[in-house]
Amino acid sequence: HQLALTAAATLVAGAFVRWLLADDDDEKDDEAAHRKQAALRARAREIKAQKAMARRPKRARPTAAKRLQQNNALAVAYGGSQDAVDVAARALRAAEAAARERLDAALKVYDGLSTDAPEIEVDLAWWELMDARQRRSLGRQLADTVAKCRRALKPTIVTLSSYTNEPKAHLEAIGSAKWPVVRDARDTWKRRRERTARVVYLTPDADEALEGLEDGVTYVVAGLVDRPVRKNCTRDAANLHGCEVRRLPLREFRGAMKRRREGILNVDVVVHILLRYRDNGGDWAEALQAALPDGKATPHRLQPRRIAVVTPPRTPP
């Protein structure tokens, strides 16, 4: 009788062990199936995005006839003739060439210690907080920043700090090696310790507004594209290092900004406001009105006639 009980207990224990092992195998199979389904869904989203990009129409370069049509529209808008548009376009090109020469000359004599002009620094130390899409957006903003610096009346030195490793590789892939900027591998705080220049960190979370631009002062703009917005992160970082913080005077000049968008601004918009403030002699209202986006499409630039030497097609009688 005792042997029969022992054999029965052994059978029950074996059956229980087999049930446990079978349950573990089922869980492993379910987990593998979930992983496979997740991978398939991710691949399906990737293929869908690639097809959407393939369906997107590519922006074609305007033909000569299209440019001539735009020039004629500009002539009507300016109330002048096509010759007047040509003169204005050539004058614009000459002014931009002179501005580039002034900026190149300022970069050649820049030693990091000059006090005859303010300096603008873009802090790239926030790179790790951004995803791939935000990094691409920052690259485009920096390219627009360089374009605005090249057209400024007064040359202003722009420095890219923390220019090393991933930020350097990403920006060099879009042509930053040819940008008229200062590239520095040191971060903002190390540059601040090793230089005697006063440093002001521009952040929308600061309490005090920026009153003006002073020569010999470095104004730091965070190279950060944060969507959603990270409140107080730039201000807290500056306060942690004992750095002054200021914000652009958007609230003080809100009445002068007609239908202009404020709030969180792109890097190129902030730099454009500072450049415009220097060029117009210290008028914040005009600088904000000119630099802040208004939600309208950017108008095309003046094109001299030598680029669009085409006569409009004749209409049949």
Side-chain angles (χ1 to χ4, degrees), residues 285-314:
E286 193 278 337
L288 294 172
Q289 180 74 13
L292 286 177
D294 56 1
K296 299 180 181 179
T298 304
H300 65 277
R301 304 183 62 204
L302 293 173
Q303 299 286 348
R305 182 179 291 177
R306 61 182 176 83
I307 299 180
V309 189
V310 174
T311 56
R314 295 182 180 180

Side-chain angles (χ1 to χ4, degrees), residues 62-72 82 86 90 303-313:
T63 61
K66 181 63 176 179
R67 287 195 293 265
L68 180 61
Q69 180 183 0
Q70 294 172 346
N71 283 352
N72 292 336
Q82 178 64 43
D86 290 344
R90 296 180 193 281
Q303 299 286 348
R305 182 179 291 177
R306 61 182 176 83
I307 299 180
V309 189
V310 174
T311 56

Side-chain angles (χ1 to χ4, degrees), residues 122-130 135 138-139 142 160-177 179 183-185 223:
V122 180
D123 183 10
L124 300 178
W126 304 93
W127 191 265
E128 296 298 331
L129 296 182
M130 297 181 291
R135 292 173 182 177
L138 179 61
L142 293 178
L160 302 179
S161 62
S162 298
Y163 187 81
T164 181
N165 299 331
E166 290 188 18
K168 178 181 178 181
H170 180 88
L171 295 178
E172 284 184 348
I174 61 175
S176 66
W179 290 352
R183 290 165 282 272
D184 197 335

Side-chain angles (χ1 to χ4, degrees), residues 16-229:
F16 182 71
V17 170
R18 287 193 298 272
W19 176 78
L20 289 178
L21 293 176
D23 190 42
D24 291 341
D25 293 340
D26 292 340
E27 291 181 357
K28 292 180 180 179
D29 293 341
D30 293 341
E31 185 178 355
H34 286 312
R35 286 200 301 267
K36 185 176 181 180
Q37 291 176 0
L40 290 175
R41 286 194 296 267
R43 179 57 180 166
R45 288 194 297 268
E46 183 180 352
I47 294 175
K48 185 177 179 180
Q50 292 176 354
K51 291 182 178 179
M53 290 295 294
R55 288 194 301 267
R56 181 181 298 178
K58 296 183 179 180
R59 293 183 59 184
R61 298 182 61 182
T63 61
K66 181 63 176 179
R67 287 195 293 265
L68 180 61
Q69 180 183 0
Q70 294 172 346
N71 283 352
N72 292 336
L74 277 176
V76 174
Y78 282 103
S81 62
Q82 178 64 43
D83 293 334
V85 176
D86 290 344
V87 172
R90 296 180 193 281
L92 178 63
R93 298 297 185 273
E96 291 179 352
R100 287 194 296 269
E101 293 177 358
R102 291 193 296 268
L103 181 58
D104 292 339
L107 284 171
K108 288 181 180 179
V109 300
Y110 174 77
D111 57 358
L113 303 174
S114 58
T115 59
D116 56 348
E119 179 182 343
I120 300 175
E121 177 183 335
V122 180
D123 183 10
L124 300 178
W126 304 93
W127 191 265
E128 296 298 331
L129 296 182
M130 297 181 291
D131 56 25
R133 183 176 181 180
Q134 293 169 347
R135 292 173 182 177
R136 289 194 298 268
S137 177
L138 179 61
R140 290 191 295 268
Q141 294 178 27
L142 293 178
D144 292 340
T145 298
V146 172
K148 292 177 174 62
C149 291
R150 283 172 171 162
R151 300 171 190 164
L153 297 178
K154 296 181 179 180
T156 303
I157 300 297
V158 174
T159 301
L160 302 179
S161 62
S162 298
Y163 187 81
T164 181
N165 299 331
E166 290 188 18
K168 178 181 178 181
H170 180 88
L171 295 178
E172 284 184 348
I174 61 175
S176 66
K178 298 181 180 179
W179 290 352
V181 298
V182 176
R183 290 165 282 272
D184 197 335
R186 298 174 295 177
D187 59 21
T188 298
W189 316 120
K190 186 175 182 180
R191 295 183 79 244
R192 180 169 173 261
R193 290 192 300 268
E194 297 177 356
R195 301 168 70 225
T196 59
R198 176 176 161 226
V199 177
V200 176
Y201 212 107
L202 299 180
T203 169
D205 303 312
D207 297 326
E208 298 183 36
L210 183 65
E211 296 181 357
L213 300 181
E214 301 179 21
D215 294 341
V217 179
T218 300
Y219 297 91
V220 183
V221 181
L224 174 63
V225 178
D226 49 347
R227 302 185 184 99
V229 177

